[in-house]
């Protein structure tokens, strides 16, 4: 990983040039056009950030920069050719008597960024490319402009929903009976509740409507569900003890996954005051919260990727597809600051008492494990996933 915005020395710069271009490093010669440079800057800002070295050829030869106003020109490109404007960190270093301009582009906080010709770029490996529809949707999700859970799912209809469960929900939480409404009224109510959506002149299900109230959800949204694997040992390469795919509505997945975890735990008993007491390896409250957090906060626009739970001898890992939204950091999560990537799912799961209060989950997990004397749970971003690791007490 390249550190952004630090003072680079000559040796470090030479090592970077020697290693060549990668996901975080781009070489450009001085003659690069403003439009092309803006595209590279936008691509880095829409991804994980990166460094552009101006004065280096694609094959790593040191060419240098002659223009004395190069810094001003770069800043103008970031301000005028990138939308929203981007503030890079600039420095230059002399190598072999030649000036190299170093432009550090931070990971953008106001994604998505685009160029003046309204094109959105992302960094993939050593190159930039125009963002795909799915990538663009994730960029808009990251800044809260759209929420995938209330987006329409095409080629669906009200027949893909379990109306009995919907009626029970409204009877319990909204104090009126859908059985007393005619079909047109029911449809209008479900549209107002974001369970159904109007799209291209048709009434279809929302993603959240399917996830909470759908029938055979996994046949329509293949990314839904949890993949569970239990290994004997502490590595994925160790012997596989149990493996399951858990699908259905979110509330059903939560309950079934908790049962699977409990069945795979060893429960040694201790004698206390002449009575035998079962002692669990992991607090059920912690496991339940970790499951719910993964189900409610994962990025459902990432197709084909289920939540993955790995159980080892010394820990359980919860892998949730999707990076943290723009404004959320791991340190903020630890103190209860949260962001609802899927506000529809949060609202309905909260109404059904699966969520106590947004933002309380992670602090509760940390405190509970600390009180038990266990190692502090690990929160980290790994590629396109957020991973929560809970260690055995």
């Amino acid at each position: 990983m390249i550190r952004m915005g630090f003072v680079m020395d000559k040796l470090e710069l030479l090592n970077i040039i020697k290693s060549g271009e990668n996901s975080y490093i781009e070489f450009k010669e001085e003659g690069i056009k403003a439009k092309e440079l803006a595209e590279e800057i936008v691509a880095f800002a829409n991804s994980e950030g990166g460094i552009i070295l101006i004065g280096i050829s694609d094959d790593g030869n040191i060419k240098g920069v002659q223009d004395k106003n190069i810094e001003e020109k770069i800043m103008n490109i970031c301000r005028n050719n990138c939308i929203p404007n981007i503030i890079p960190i600039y420095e230059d270093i002399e190598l072999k008597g030649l000036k190299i301009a170093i432009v550090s582009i931070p990971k953008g906080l106001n994604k998505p960024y685009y160029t003046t010709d309204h094109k959105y770029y992302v960094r993939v490996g050593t190159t930039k490319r125009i963002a795909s529809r799915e990538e663009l949707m994730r960029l808009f999700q990251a800044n809260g402009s759209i929420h995938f859970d209330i987006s329409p799912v095409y080629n669906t209809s009200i027949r893909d929903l379990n109306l009995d469960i919907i009626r029970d929900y409204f009877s319990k939480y909204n104090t009126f009976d859908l059985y007393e409404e005619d079909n047109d009224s029911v449809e209008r109510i479900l549209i107002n509740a974001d369970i159904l959506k109007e799209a291209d002149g048709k009434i279809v299900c929302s993603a959240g409507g399917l996830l909470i109230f759908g029938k055979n959800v996994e046949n329509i949204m293949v990314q839904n569900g949890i993949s569970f694997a239990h290994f004997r040992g502490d590595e994925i390469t160790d012997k596989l003890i149990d493996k399951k795919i858990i699908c259905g509505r979110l509330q059903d997945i939560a309950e079934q996954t908790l049962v699977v975890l409990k069945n795979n735990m060893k429960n040694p008993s201790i004698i206390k005051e002449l009575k035998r007491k079962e002692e669990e390896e992991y607090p059920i409250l912690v496991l339940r919260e970790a499951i719910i957090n993964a189900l409610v906060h994962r990025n459902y626009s990432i197709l084909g990727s289920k939540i993955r739970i790995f159980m080892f001898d010394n820990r359980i890992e919860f892998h949730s597809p999707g990076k943290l939204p723009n404004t959320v950091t791991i340190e903020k999560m630890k103190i209860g600051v949260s962001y609802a990537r899927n506000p529809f799912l949060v609202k309905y799961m909260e109404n059904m008492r699966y969520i106590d209060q947004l933002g309380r989950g992670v602090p509760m997990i940390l405190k509970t494990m600390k009180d038990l004397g266990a190692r502090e749970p690990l929160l980290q971003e790994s590629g396109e996933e957020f991973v929560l690791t809970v260690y055995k007490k």
Side-chain angles (χ1 to χ4, degrees):
M1 173 67 75
I2 301 296
R3 294 173 294 140
M4 305 297 166
F6 67 100
V7 177
M8 191 182 297
D9 59 37
K10 291 185 179 182
L11 180 60
E12 194 157 14
L13 178 55
L14 285 169
N15 287 334
I16 290 174
I17 295 171
K18 183 179 178 181
S19 298
E21 295 178 322
N22 57 40
S23 299
Y24 302 96
I25 297 294
E26 177 69 23
F27 298 159
K28 290 297 176 188
E29 294 189 39
E30 182 177 7
I32 183 173
K33 295 180 180 179
K35 178 179 180 296
E36 185 181 351
L37 184 57
E39 292 170 357
E40 298 288 354
I41 292 169
V42 162
F44 276 129
N46 278 333
S47 303
E48 294 299 302
I51 294 174
I52 301 173
L53 301 180
I54 301 178
I56 307 294
S57 65
D58 287 340
D59 56 6
N61 288 325
I62 300 172
K63 300 289 187 178
V65 174
Q66 301 295 325
D67 191 343
K68 295 181 180 180
N69 298 318
I70 185 71
E71 179 180 0
E72 181 181 353
K73 289 182 178 179
I74 291 169
M75 293 300 177
N76 285 336
I77 290 171
C78 289
R79 182 171 58 251
N80 300 324
N81 297 64
C82 304
I83 305 170
N85 61 59
I86 295 168
I87 302 176
I89 297 173
Y90 176 90
E91 59 182 310
D92 53 60
I93 291 180
E94 189 174 295
L95 288 180
K96 300 179 181 180
L98 298 171
K99 182 171 76 172
I100 306 301
I102 304 168
V103 185
S104 298
I105 310 299
K107 177 180 178 181
L109 293 178
N110 297 303
K111 298 177 184 177
Y113 296 86
Y114 58 96
T115 54
T116 49
D117 56 353
H118 290 274
K119 291 182 179 178
Y120 299 81
Y121 292 88
V122 292
R123 182 80 176 180
V124 180
T126 61
T127 61
K128 71 175 187 300
R129 64 171 168 78
I130 293 177
S132 66
R133 178 181 177 276
E134 290 75 20
E135 288 166 334
L136 191 56
M137 181 173 288
R138 290 200 287 272
L139 289 172
F140 276 107
Q141 274 190 279
N143 76 353
S145 297
I146 62 172
H147 298 287
F148 184 81
D149 60 342
I150 57 172
S151 63
V153 180
Y154 293 93
N155 299 318
T156 63
S157 72
I158 195 171
R159 291 189 296 273
D160 293 301
L161 300 175
N162 189 319
L163 290 179
D164 288 334
I165 292 178
I166 293 175
R167 289 183 179 110
D168 288 344
Y169 172 87
F170 275 92
S171 176
K172 187 173 182 180
Y173 301 106
N174 292 70
T175 64
F176 64 88
D177 190 352
L178 285 183
Y179 284 103
E180 298 177 354
E181 306 290 338
D182 59 34
N183 290 340
D184 289 341
S185 296
V186 169
E187 186 177 88
R188 186 180 66 254
I189 290 169
L190 298 188
I191 291 173
N192 290 335
D194 285 326
I195 296 170
L196 291 175
K197 303 291 289 187
E198 296 182 76
D200 298 333
K202 296 181 180 180
I203 305 300
V204 299
C205 301
S206 70
L210 285 171
L211 290 168
I212 300 292
F213 301 112
K215 297 185 292 188
N216 303 315
V217 188
E218 60 278 5
N219 294 338
I220 302 171
M221 299 179 66
V222 294
Q223 69 270 41
N224 180 47
I226 289 178
S227 172
F228 169 81
H230 184 185
F231 298 92
R232 176 174 288 132
D234 297 334
E235 302 294 335
I236 288 181
T237 53
D238 292 329
K239 182 179 179 181
L240 183 64
I241 299 175
D242 190 16
K243 183 178 181 180
K244 286 183 171 60
I245 300 294
I246 306 162
C247 296
R249 293 180 292 272
L250 294 198
Q251 53 272 46
D252 298 330
I253 295 174
E255 300 294 349
Q256 293 169 24
T257 303
L258 188 59
V259 170
V260 169
L261 288 176
K262 290 171 70 174
N263 289 342
N264 276 270
M265 285 194 298
K266 298 175 183 177
N267 290 320
S269 57
I270 59 173
I271 303 298
K272 186 175 182 180
E273 296 178 355
L274 301 180
K275 294 181 179 179
R276 186 175 297 276
K277 179 182 180 182
E278 296 294 321
E279 187 174 73
E280 295 166 331
E281 294 180 304
Y282 301 92
I284 297 302
L285 185 63
V286 167
L287 297 182
R288 185 179 182 85
E289 196 65 42
I291 294 167
I292 296 297
N293 272 359
L295 288 169
V296 170
H297 297 300
R298 69 150 288 181
N299 189 337
Y300 283 96
S301 70
I302 299 178
L303 306 179
S305 297
K306 297 184 186 300
I307 295 164
R308 298 182 298 157
I309 299 178
F310 298 140
M311 177 180 275
F312 301 96
D313 284 354
N314 67 339
R315 69 192 188 280
I316 302 177
E317 297 179 0
F318 299 84
H319 292 247
S320 183
K323 298 177 181 179
L324 295 176
N326 280 358
T327 58
V328 178
T329 65
I330 288 173
E331 293 306 312
K332 286 182 178 180
M333 292 178 69
K334 289 181 177 180
I335 61 172
V337 176
S338 186
Y339 169 85
R341 187 199 304 274
N342 301 306
F344 176 97
L345 299 183
V346 169
K347 179 180 72 174
Y348 281 88
M349 292 294 276
E350 189 174 38
N351 286 346
M352 291 184 285
R353 304 296 186 266
Y354 283 93
I355 298 175
D356 180 21
Q357 184 177 327
L358 185 62
R360 287 185 57 180
V362 169
M364 184 279 292
I365 291 173
L366 297 177
K367 183 178 186 306
T368 301
M369 298 310 293
K370 180 181 179 180
D371 291 345
L372 291 173
R375 176 179 170 183
E376 180 178 325
L378 178 64
L379 290 75
Q380 61 183 142
E381 282 189 301
S382 178
E384 290 293 325
E385 291 184 320
F386 175 75
V387 184
L388 166 66
T389 302
V390 181
Y391 296 93
K392 186 186 295 185
K393 63 181 180 180

